[in-house]
Amino acid sequence: MESLRRIAALIWKELLAILKDPRSRFVVLIPPLLQGLVFGYAATYDLNRVRYAVYDQDRSDASRQFLAMIDGSGTFRRIANLGDQREIKSIIDDRQAILVVQIGSDFERRLLTGQPADVQVIADGRNSNTAGTALNYIATITDAFNSRWRSAKGLTSPPVEPSARAWFNPNLETRWFMIPGLIGMLTLVQMIVITAMSVAREREQGTFDQLLVTPFRPIEIMIGKSAPSVLIGLVQVTMVLALAIFWFRIPFQGSLLNLYPGVLLFLVAAVGIGLMVSSVAGTMQQALLGSFLTITPLAMLSGLNTPISNMPAGIQYVTLINPLRYVIVIAHKVFLEGASLRYIFPEMWPLALIAAFTLSFAVWMFHRRLM
Amino acid sequence: MEEKVSDKGALVGPYVIESRELTKEFVQVNKERIKALDSVSISVSRGTVTGLIGPDGAGKTTLIRLTAGLFRPEAGSIRVLGIDAASEPQAVQSRVGYMPQKFGLYEDLSVQENLDLYADLHGLSREARAERYPALMQMTGLSRFTGRLAGRLSGGMKQKLGLACTLVSTPELLLLDEPTVGVDPLSRRELWEIVYHLAREQNLTVLLSTSYLDEAERCGMTILLFKGRVLESGVPSKISSIAAGRVFRVETPASLKPRQLQFRLVSGSAVVDASLEGERVRLTTSTDPARDDPLFQGLTPTPIAPRFEDGFMTLVRRASDHTVDTRFLSGGVANGAKHVSSDEVVVEVRNLYKRFGEFTAVKDASFEVRRGEIFGLLGPNGAGKSTTFRMLCGLLPPSEGTLGVAGVDLRRARASARQRIGYVAQKFSLYGQLSVSENLEFFARAYGLRGARQRERVDWAIEQFDLQAITGQTSGELPGGYKQRLAMACALMHEPEILFLDEPTSGVDPLARREFWQRISALADHGVTVIVTTHFMEEAEYCDRMVIMVDGEILAAGTPAGIRQRARVVEPKEPTIEDAFIAIVEDFRQSAA
Amino acid sequence: MSARRITALLRKEMLQIFRDPSSIAIAIVLPIFLILLFGYGLSLDPKDIPVALVVENPTPVSAGVGAAFGLSRYFRITTVTSMKKAEDLMREGRVDGIVRLGQNFDRRLLIGTAPIQVIVQGVDANRARIIEGYARGAIGQWMGQRNSAGADSSVGPVVVQSRIWFNADSDSRYFLVPGLVVLIMTITGALLTAMVMAREWERGTLEALFVTPVRAGEILIGKTVPYFLLGMAGLLLTASTGRFLFHVPLRGSLLVLTAVSALYLCVALGFGLLISSITRSQFVAGQIALIAAFLPAVFLSGFIFDLASVPKAVRLVSYLLPARYYVSLLQTLFLAGDIWSIIIPDCAVMLVMLLVLFGLTLRKTKKRL
């Protein structure tokens, strides 16, 4: 009972210290929102303003119909009509257009005579992912044109008609993927930095010794240091969650009751990492650099920027100890798939293990430093 | 460009530094403008050693930085070596030597590399170096350590290296900002010897700042700064004479301890200052007191010659309308533990060792502390005081030996054992972002106080330590003296039996230091055992017993009177603890060599 | 300006870099780690995608479809007999896509309208889109084989023949590795420089340096040159591992690459010096460098995400970032070649930024406290 009271005093002090000062209040509350907003808009693989040029050698009704479908898709902006083959190179080289659609002079003739008509599409591969996405859009438009052309001309459909559908994200918007993932990414950064810094600050100001000389037991100090970070983390998660649902209008399919237990485990694990960093760092500067050196690999190997399944097998195993990996999957599953606890269990138990490990390691390091 | 600078040399008049109505303002966090210097006019003549004296925040550092052309004044002018330092800072900076407070050394460079850097920056030729280096090395005694990283040097050696770096170029003016802070008495004495040697041999002008009042007497000229204004300036004897006829030595009656007498005297209304001087008390009054003043009842004051600090204290008291607070600690301390100074041993240390790798920080330390004593651990920075202290408090495990605090080893003791001790760490560890009352409440809760009891203790602390006016202020922004009081209040919240104080007076100005010791005396009189570390030797006078540590070893132990006997001074000078310390260290170094 | 003083400052800085473990960690260990990670670890190109093939009644035709998917290097096929089983696999995260051949697929194929349903796990939209594209490709291939085997009808009528210039195999490493140069340059240029300069303010060493004959400009040179060299070493390391270990082509000239990198590095250094002179605190300077330089270099530079598709307000912000221009230059120089119509305007913008930053820094770094 005494012990609980002491811990409560420590937590209260910690929250006061963070939330009283307008500057640190700002640092805790505003950057996650701002980053959620900016990165929510910026971190997208979807294209909505693809600049492209046309080299139409046919200038027929058919070619105009085909190009009208591209223009009408809303994704493409035609920036030039080329009159010469040689212009293609310069317009791509200068990055004025990332696609050039070239239609041969026999386009309409071949279509009307029932022969396949080729359309050349040249893409700027300097960012090959963008190029690939743009080409996919063109392929979809072409399919649409083909089926319209066939029904207009009374042709038979091709024997096989693939129809594609995406689960959980019918319009395939990257934002639906990125923003729930940012919930984990942004809070990870804040948790590690806040925790590592708050311990390093106590060390630097000498208040740490002061605490050790009071009746606080080391474990009480650890709890008193972690709980406020976890509380702040919960507030930040809720803020980014609200941003996702109410600002970006991403449909939340699951239940908050399924999301928060996983988030809580993740926050504890992240705070544990922060404590580990702080137990190695002597000064606030080292704590900041240490956090940066820890966050970078965790973020890179989280599966948010590039899918984990694309990584080599060895590195995929390494990602198994990354708490961020699991919370991102949990966020996606609950957010987009509406998964119940049964479906997120495979992510929950590793998170619980990691949290238990980071915390006990931090406690051990803490004791060892005292020895 | 360099040529243009040296051309100016011819312009130098009789004064090396001359300022007129110099004013410098700073904007605080709350947008408030404060005047760090307020129309300061000074003049420093060639070849003198001038001391800037004043408490913290008086404007000493600001004035030195203005002299070095590092600030632009808001109003007034300052000419250094005949050059306007505000408009042509570079011309000044090329010709003066300047050592900032933290010595300005690159800690990850070696002694030699630091020297080479400054020699190159000053454009010293190879031949000039060959001549200059041996002289500097001999002067500073650093020749054995040229390969050592500056960060691994002791405070005294860092200070000498900092000085050597400013001297490589033979400057015409030497500016030293608090060069002796945190440095042991021996190193301080050596620094002064170097400074005087330079002034004498090379006609170098030196301007230095210090808050050690005893050092002021060594200066040729002094300038007293207080709250940004010049209070007085002149030769030290001129300052001393201000208190002429109002300084007395009072013998301690057998019924009292010297510090109890001091405590009684200091509460007199006309008293400027009362300080311990061996077994006697030195008293300075603001008016010429009548013989039958009730203050002197039963005492025999002998008039004595005034010293610099008597004059200084008189001036500062006049300027600050500061009265000594006598209300402190009127009860409520230590659970009525009134059995003052029993023979009960409360802290016991036997054959204590602490090793960090190859390095032995504490060697075979043994001592004991009895209830109600003020026990001092004295020694320069790096002597092993803080390490011993941290072992006592259970913050560090000893490598060897035994220790007990109130009968237990705090390291293995249950949390409740720590309920009996109070601890004030170096630099007054407070939560800088929290307000004064929030700090008090936190520590009260940490010690398990709650409800009415908590309110009662917090109110007591605010009352006793005179914190009413500042309860809502953020503690990180308080001046040093207030921080120290708040830290003490936090440590006393739970009425501990034993109080540990680690360097409680470093970075606190002379006025606040006096008050602090009066509070400590009062605590001890109420039965609290106080263990304190300090590198201010004169503060040892307040201790009942003490040990002197150097290089991890206890070189001497005993009462102040006993320690003083080891000093080697020529009559009529009264021996001080500092003299004794120097003698002890010299004996030790000789026997080691 | 005195060469002697500058040399002395340079030597001091070099000694400090090699004696401070945190500089080494940031300047050397982190870049090597990132190079290995970007070269070997990260990729946007899916492979071995687990896909469930739903065949309700197996026939030789359905086996042919399965074989077409199996032959593709992108897919790993699990054949199941009911849609329900496939959906369960997908929900459990065991497969990322379902290819369903409808009932009576064989018979309907003969009369000309056999549906194939492709369902992808859409959570990771980018990956889903790529998988969808690959699936169409596999189906197209299978149909092509049937055609050449004499079956009737055709694909089309319009057939897209696409070519990706500069990166024909669409290897994501081709743009990740050049992008990495930006990150490394930003870390050494802005983050590390800001912190070491702020450290001098904090420790009072700058104050001591000020009161010597040294000029403000000399101090700035003494601080910039070592970190400039460190950054250029990072470029050399990244470019050569990219070229020789990861086989990313360098189609532009090495000289131009070096020159534009030097320009960007100077801009980053200028930024680092400026924030350290303003804040004079390692902690604050480090945080500002992270938030204002490093994170935008990842997210708002066009390094991974296409800047044309972000909302206007965000795009306007990106125009203020030097990293944006440098990313565009690097992608062009590595993959396309020396295209002056890109190099000149981008360099001009960075040059203006450089002049502004150094002007501000010089004004801030008067020898005054």
Side-chain angles (χ1 to χ4, degrees):
Chain A
M1 204 49 213
E2 258 323 292
S3 170
L4 283 182
R5 274 210 195 86
R6 280 197 296 264
I7 293 174
L10 202 51
I11 293 175
W12 177 242
K13 178 226 84 180
E14 203 70 26
L15 287 176
L16 262 184
I18 297 172
L19 298 179
K20 241 191 78 180
D21 175 24
R23 241 179 330 171
S24 79
R25 199 164 51 216
F26 176 86
V27 168
V28 166
L29 297 180
I30 303 303
L33 267 186
L34 218 57
Q35 289 172 359
L37 210 57
V38 171
F39 300 152
Y41 278 120
T44 173
Y45 291 112
D46 308 335
L47 306 177
N48 55 34
R49 278 193 2 144
V50 180
R51 287 155 303 164
Y52 85 111
V54 170
Y55 178 32
D56 183 0
Q57 290 167 297
D58 198 31
R59 294 176 187 275
S60 58
D61 278 347
S63 71
R64 269 191 288 275
Q65 270 180 43
F66 180 72
L67 292 171
M69 279 191 76
I70 299 181
D71 289 332
S73 68
T75 312
F76 291 89
R77 303 249 166 120
R78 200 194 301 192
I79 55 133
N81 291 304
L82 308 181
D84 194 321
Q85 178 89 34
R86 279 167 300 179
E87 289 176 60
I88 296 177
K89 181 168 163 31
S90 70
I91 209 159
I92 293 267
D93 279 356
D94 293 355
R95 302 196 117 168
Q96 293 178 43
I98 66 166
L99 286 185
V100 174
V101 176
Q102 183 184 358
I103 300 178
S105 55
D106 55 353
F107 181 74
E108 191 177 41
R109 192 175 52 79
R110 287 182 71 97
L111 276 183
L112 292 173
T113 56
Q115 297 171 54
D118 283 356
V119 171
Q120 303 278 341
V121 181
I122 293 147
D124 175 358
R126 271 170 277 190
N127 183 328
S128 57
N129 193 60
T130 306
T133 309
L135 286 175
N136 258 339
Y137 289 159
I138 292 282
T140 316
I141 292 170
T142 309
D143 281 352
F145 174 82
N146 282 346
S147 69
R148 199 189 285 180
W149 178 271
R150 269 189 232 105
S151 58
K153 301 291 174 208
L155 297 175
T156 51
S157 337
V160 176
E161 213 165 1
S163 68
R165 198 152 62 83
W167 273 13
F168 311 127
N169 186 356
N171 299 321
L172 289 181
E173 288 187 45
T174 327
R175 202 164 282 156
W176 287 25
F177 174 69
M178 282 294 171
I179 295 175
L182 282 177
I183 293 176
M185 184 81 92
L186 297 180
T187 42
L188 175 86
V189 175
Q190 291 270 331
M191 284 308 92
I192 294 184
V193 172
I194 290 178
T195 316
M197 284 297 170
S198 91
V199 178
R201 186 187 297 122
E202 293 234 14
R203 266 191 227 285
E204 228 167 70
Q205 297 188 342
T207 42
F208 213 65
D209 286 353
Q210 194 85 51
L211 284 185
L212 291 173
V213 174
T214 57
F216 281 111
R217 277 192 294 256
I219 187 77
E220 293 169 5
I221 297 179
M222 297 294 263
I223 297 173
K225 283 268 136 197
S226 349
S229 302
V230 172
L231 284 178
I232 288 171
L234 284 173
V235 172
Q236 291 180 339
V237 165
T238 312
M239 282 187 333
V240 183
L241 195 63
L243 194 72
I245 298 174
F246 300 112
W247 179 266
F248 287 109
R249 304 251 162 221
I250 301 171
F252 185 76
Q253 304 288 1
S255 132
L256 290 176
L257 286 176
N258 293 335
L259 181 63
Y260 274 90
V263 165
L264 195 65
L265 280 179
F266 164 72
L267 290 174
V268 173
V271 165
I273 296 175
L275 287 174
M276 278 162 65
V277 170
S278 75
S279 66
V280 183
T283 60
M284 287 171 76
Q285 187 221 335
Q286 284 175 2
L288 186 68
L289 285 181
S291 309
F292 179 63
L293 289 175
T294 323
I295 292 166
T296 309
L298 290 181
M300 294 282 175
L301 295 175
S302 66
L304 193 62
N305 297 319
T306 67
I308 287 174
S309 55
N310 296 0
M311 297 172 189
I315 294 179
Q316 290 198 28
Y317 284 119
V318 175
T319 64
L320 291 177
I321 59 167
N322 182 356
L324 190 54
R325 171 200 166 131
Y326 299 104
V327 81
I328 287 175
V329 175
I330 291 176
H332 285 145
K333 281 190 174 173
V334 177
F335 211 114
L336 301 176
E337 301 177 23
S340 62
L341 277 178
R342 188 166 77 83
Y343 283 102
I344 55 172
F345 183 73
E347 279 77 35
M348 292 291 273
W349 68 260
L351 261 187
L353 267 185
I354 295 169
F357 173 79
T358 56
L359 275 189
S360 29
F361 187 78
V363 171
W364 178 77
M365 280 293 288
F366 185 82
H367 271 284
R368 218 185 62 122
R369 248 186 103 134
L370 286 182
M371 287 305 143
Chain B
M1 255 175 116
E2 271 105 313
E3 280 69 29
K4 202 178 93 196
V5 171
S6 40
D7 284 345
K8 295 256 160 81
L11 300 173
V12 179
Y15 295 122
V16 173
I17 305 171
E18 212 174 353
S19 80
R20 289 285 161 266
E21 307 286 314
L22 197 60
T23 300
K24 175 72 199 166
E25 290 181 345
F26 291 107
V27 183
Q28 281 186 308
V29 186
N30 54 12
K31 302 272 186 291
E32 207 176 295
R33 300 182 75 85
I34 52 154
K35 280 189 176 163
L37 284 184
D38 192 357
S39 37
V40 166
S41 303
I42 59 161
S43 38
V44 172
S45 14
R46 178 168 293 271
T48 56
V49 176
T50 305
L52 274 177
I53 324 285
D56 279 7
K60 303 189 293 289
T61 299
T62 309
L63 182 53
I64 289 197
R65 285 178 170 174
L66 277 163
T67 314
L70 290 170
F71 283 145
R72 184 185 273 283
E74 263 68 43
S77 68
I78 176 152
R79 298 186 74 77
V80 178
L81 300 164
I83 307 157
D84 184 351
S87 61
E88 287 185 80
Q90 185 60 65
V92 172
Q93 288 160 356
S94 296
R95 288 170 57 192
V96 303
Y98 168 62
M99 184 166 82
Q101 249 174 46
K102 287 174 251 165
F103 310 135
L105 298 170
Y106 288 97
E107 306 224 321
D108 34 19
L109 298 192
S110 70
V111 169
Q112 188 64 55
E113 286 159 354
N114 267 294
L115 273 178
D116 285 344
L117 172 66
Y118 281 91
D120 281 331
L121 294 182
H122 283 284
L124 214 62
S125 69
R126 199 171 285 277
E127 301 78 58
R129 261 178 238 215
E131 198 181 313
R132 196 83 187 127
Y133 280 0
L136 285 173
M137 286 299 162
Q138 202 227 333
M139 194 191 294
T140 55
L142 284 168
S143 36
R144 283 193 294 131
F145 307 104
T146 48
R148 193 180 286 189
L149 293 188
R152 301 252 170 84
L153 295 175
S154 72
M157 288 202 281
K158 273 187 196 159
Q159 167 227 50
K160 283 181 203 149
L161 175 59
L163 191 64
C165 287
T166 64
L167 289 173
V168 277
S169 65
T170 7
E172 293 161 64
L173 168 66
L174 190 57
L175 301 169
L176 306 174
D177 194 6
E178 305 250 10
T180 51
V181 163
V183 172
D184 66 274
L186 211 59
S187 302
R188 269 169 60 194
R189 204 174 68 173
E190 285 162 3
L191 181 95
W192 276 99
E193 280 164 10
I194 297 174
V195 166
Y196 266 99
H197 175 79
L198 291 167
R200 217 171 32 241
E201 303 284 309
Q202 298 172 11
N203 201 27
L204 182 69
T205 314
V206 183
L207 176 68
L208 59 83
S209 65
T210 179
S211 53
Y212 289 92
L213 297 181
D214 56 331
E215 290 189 340
E217 263 173 298
R218 306 196 200 193
C219 300
M221 287 289 288
T222 55
I223 298 167
L224 257 65
L225 278 180
F226 189 72
K227 294 190 176 164
R229 289 176 165 277
V230 176
L231 218 51
E232 190 62 74
S233 63
V235 293
S237 58
K238 179 181 163 197
I239 312 287
S240 309
S241 66
I242 290 169
R246 296 198 293 267
V247 185
F248 306 92
R249 177 179 293 150
V250 185
E251 295 290 337
T252 311
S255 58
L256 291 175
K257 281 188 178 183
R259 63 165 190 261
Q260 288 167 326
L261 172 65
Q262 179 210 16
F263 186 40
R264 192 186 115 188
L265 287 175
V266 87
S267 55
S269 60
V271 172
V272 166
D273 189 23
S275 59
L276 289 182
E277 207 175 74
E279 302 294 304
R280 292 165 292 210
V281 175
R282 183 188 188 88
L283 182 71
T284 313
T285 58
S286 55
T287 51
D288 298 319
R291 277 280 144 178
D292 52 358
D293 193 306
L295 188 64
F296 293 137
Q297 199 176 12
L299 301 173
T300 47
T302 326
I304 50 168
R307 281 201 309 231
F308 181 87
E309 60 176 292
D310 303 314
F312 173 86
M313 292 303 262
T314 309
L315 282 173
V316 168
R317 292 269 192 240
R318 263 187 219 157
S320 64
D321 60 282
H322 190 110
T323 51
V324 177
D325 190 356
T326 53
R327 286 168 303 129
F328 28 75
L329 308 165
S330 46
V333 180
N335 284 334
K338 296 274 183 192
H339 44 286
V340 181
S341 277
S342 69
D343 284 340
E344 184 195 346
V345 172
V346 286
V347 174
E348 193 175 16
V349 172
R350 288 275 159 267
N351 310 99
L352 194 66
Y353 280 85
K354 180 69 201 176
R355 296 187 195 87
F356 297 104
E358 294 283 288
F359 173 67
T360 307
V362 176
K363 275 177 226 161
D364 199 20
S366 300
F367 57 85
E368 51 191 42
V369 183
R370 292 187 278 270
R371 183 173 297 282
E373 261 188 336
I374 300 182
F375 186 85
L377 279 165
L378 268 75
N381 290 347
K385 304 186 302 274
S386 286
T387 310
T388 310
F389 211 73
R390 292 169 59 80
M391 286 191 280
L392 280 177
C393 295
L395 294 171
L396 263 183
S399 308
E400 220 178 284
T402 56
L403 51 80
V405 173
V408 294
D409 179 351
L410 284 181
R411 200 162 174 72
R412 284 182 220 103
R414 292 167 49 80
S416 58
R418 289 200 292 264
Q419 193 80 31
R420 297 166 66 187
I421 68 162
Y423 173 74
V424 178
Q426 263 186 42
K427 298 183 286 182
F428 322 126
S429 311
L430 298 162
Y431 292 100
Q433 314 95 311
L434 300 188
S435 74
V436 169
S437 55
E438 282 158 356
N439 264 295
L440 289 170
E441 276 157 27
F442 170 67
F443 281 104
R445 276 190 216 133
Y447 282 108
L449 303 176
R450 53 179 195 274
R453 181 80 187 123
Q454 181 192 330
R455 271 195 303 281
E456 183 190 313
R457 290 304 294 171
V458 170
D459 290 343
W460 169 86
I462 291 174
E463 162 85 19
Q464 289 301 319
F465 289 88
D466 204 9
L467 302 170
Q468 292 91 338
I470 53 159
T471 47
Q473 278 192 39
T474 309
S475 58
E477 291 163 11
L478 297 173
Y482 275 109
K483 274 191 193 161
Q484 183 211 45
R485 265 146 67 186
L486 177 56
M488 286 274 287
C490 290
L492 289 170
M493 194 58 83
H494 57 297
E495 303 169 73
E497 296 163 39
I498 307 168
L499 184 59
F500 289 91
L501 303 165
D502 197 1
E503 299 278 358
T505 49
S506 75
V508 176
D509 65 64
L511 295 178
R513 290 217 303 262
R514 290 273 149 86
E515 265 181 38
F516 167 82
W517 280 105
Q518 280 147 11
R519 282 177 207 279
I520 293 298
S521 304
L523 276 175
D525 289 343
H526 282 87
V528 178
T529 311
V530 179
I531 300 171
V532 59
T533 68
T534 179
H535 63 264
F536 289 101
M537 295 297 146
E538 73 270 19
E539 294 186 343
E541 299 282 6
Y542 294 93
C543 300
D544 293 303
R545 288 189 314 116
M546 65 179 115
V547 294
I548 288 184
M549 288 188 84
V550 174
D551 295 345
E553 284 186 64
I554 293 183
L555 297 187
T559 61
I563 299 276
R564 263 198 312 273
Q565 278 172 7
R566 297 188 54 179
R568 285 188 292 262
V569 288
V570 191
E571 291 287 335
K573 191 178 182 295
E574 294 262 339
T576 62
I577 300 273
E578 180 158 340
D579 298 323
F581 176 85
I582 289 172
I584 289 165
V585 173
E586 278 172 353
D587 288 349
F588 170 68
R589 298 244 161 103
Q590 244 158 38
S591 66
Chain C
M1 286 282 163
S2 140
R4 175 102 173 260
R5 291 197 291 259
I6 293 174
T7 328
L9 289 173
L10 290 179
R11 204 179 52 215
K12 176 219 85 182
E13 202 64 44
M14 288 296 190
L15 285 171
Q16 283 193 297
I17 291 173
F18 289 108
R19 283 180 196 165
D20 179 9
S22 57
S23 317
I24 304 264
I26 292 285
I28 296 161
V29 180
L30 187 64
I32 292 178
F33 170 76
L34 286 176
I35 288 171
L36 294 178
L37 195 61
F38 274 67
Y40 289 118
L42 304 186
S43 163
L44 284 165
D45 314 320
K47 57 181 195 316
D48 292 336
I49 307 153
V51 166
L53 180 67
V54 185
V55 184
E56 273 149 20
N57 30 8
T59 61
V61 180
S62 68
V65 176
F69 271 86
L71 276 176
S72 150
R73 66 188 159 110
Y74 302 116
F75 295 105
R76 210 178 61 231
I77 292 291
T78 311
T79 308
V80 293
T81 52
S82 79
M83 190 59 188
K84 198 188 159 302
K85 276 184 196 157
E87 285 178 354
D88 283 345
L89 285 176
M90 185 115 122
R91 260 191 212 99
E92 287 161 19
R94 308 256 290 274
V95 297
D96 287 341
I98 300 173
V99 178
R100 181 191 192 183
L101 308 183
Q103 275 189 330
N104 308 321
F105 183 74
D106 283 28
R107 216 182 51 213
R108 292 176 70 177
L109 189 63
L110 291 175
I111 58 167
T113 52
I116 296 188
Q117 211 177 7
V118 176
I119 300 167
V120 290
Q121 158 58 290
V123 168
D124 185 345
N126 190 52
R127 180 172 152 85
R129 205 151 36 215
I130 296 171
I131 295 176
E132 212 182 279
Y134 288 162
R136 279 176 198 278
I139 295 167
Q141 212 157 24
W142 170 70
M143 285 198 292
Q145 281 163 359
R146 274 176 57 88
N147 282 348
S148 56
D152 60 352
S153 190
S154 62
V155 285
V158 173
V159 180
V160 171
Q161 303 285 347
S162 60
R163 270 191 297 149
I164 299 184
W165 277 10
F166 313 129
N167 186 357
D169 294 337
S170 188
D171 184 347
S172 63
R173 231 186 248 172
Y174 276 34
F175 69 95
L176 289 179
V177 171
L180 177 61
V181 178
V182 185
L183 297 192
I184 291 176
M185 295 288 223
T186 312
I187 291 170
T188 25
L191 181 68
L192 190 58
T193 317
M195 296 204 56
V196 292
M197 188 70 173
R199 185 174 64 188
E200 295 233 16
W201 281 106
E202 257 177 20
R203 293 196 183 163
T205 44
L206 215 48
E207 191 180 340
L209 278 192
F210 280 174
V211 191
T212 65
V214 81
R215 305 294 189 270
E218 294 166 357
I219 295 179
L220 284 187
I221 293 175
K223 269 287 167 222
T224 21
V225 172
Y227 297 95
F228 179 81
L229 293 179
L230 218 51
M232 291 313 267
L235 170 73
L236 185 72
L237 187 70
T238 324
S240 49
T241 43
R243 176 76 189 78
F244 299 110
L245 211 53
F246 307 130
H247 307 292
V248 176
L250 175 59
R251 297 197 175 108
S253 72
L254 197 59
L255 189 72
V256 181
L257 177 68
T258 314
V260 303
S261 301
L263 183 59
Y264 175 74
L265 192 53
C266 288
V267 176
L269 283 166
F271 183 71
L273 289 176
L274 184 66
I275 54 179
S276 62
S277 320
I278 293 173
T279 64
R280 296 181 186 186
S281 136
Q282 290 187 75
F283 179 58
V284 182
Q287 276 194 323
I288 293 181
L290 274 187
I291 292 176
F294 181 74
L295 287 179
V298 180
F299 285 95
L300 284 179
S301 63
F303 160 34
I304 299 180
F305 305 111
D306 181 51
L307 281 175
S309 300
V310 301
K312 198 160 192 170
V314 181
R315 198 161 61 238
L316 286 178
V317 172
S318 79
Y319 283 115
L320 295 173
L321 298 170
R324 177 204 170 105
Y325 304 95
Y326 188 44
V327 164
S328 148
L329 282 167
L330 282 174
Q331 290 178 346
T332 300
L333 285 172
F334 269 96
L335 302 180
D338 293 341
I339 296 169
W340 295 102
S341 49
I342 287 191
I343 297 170
I344 292 168
D346 280 355
C347 284
V349 178
M350 289 207 293
L351 201 62
V352 172
M353 289 178 167
L354 178 70
L355 293 177
V356 171
L357 280 173
F358 263 81
L360 285 175
T361 311
L362 267 176
R363 272 190 56 171
K364 272 277 155 199
T365 325
K366 283 267 176 51
K367 285 172 61 176
R368 286 239 155 81
L369 294 173

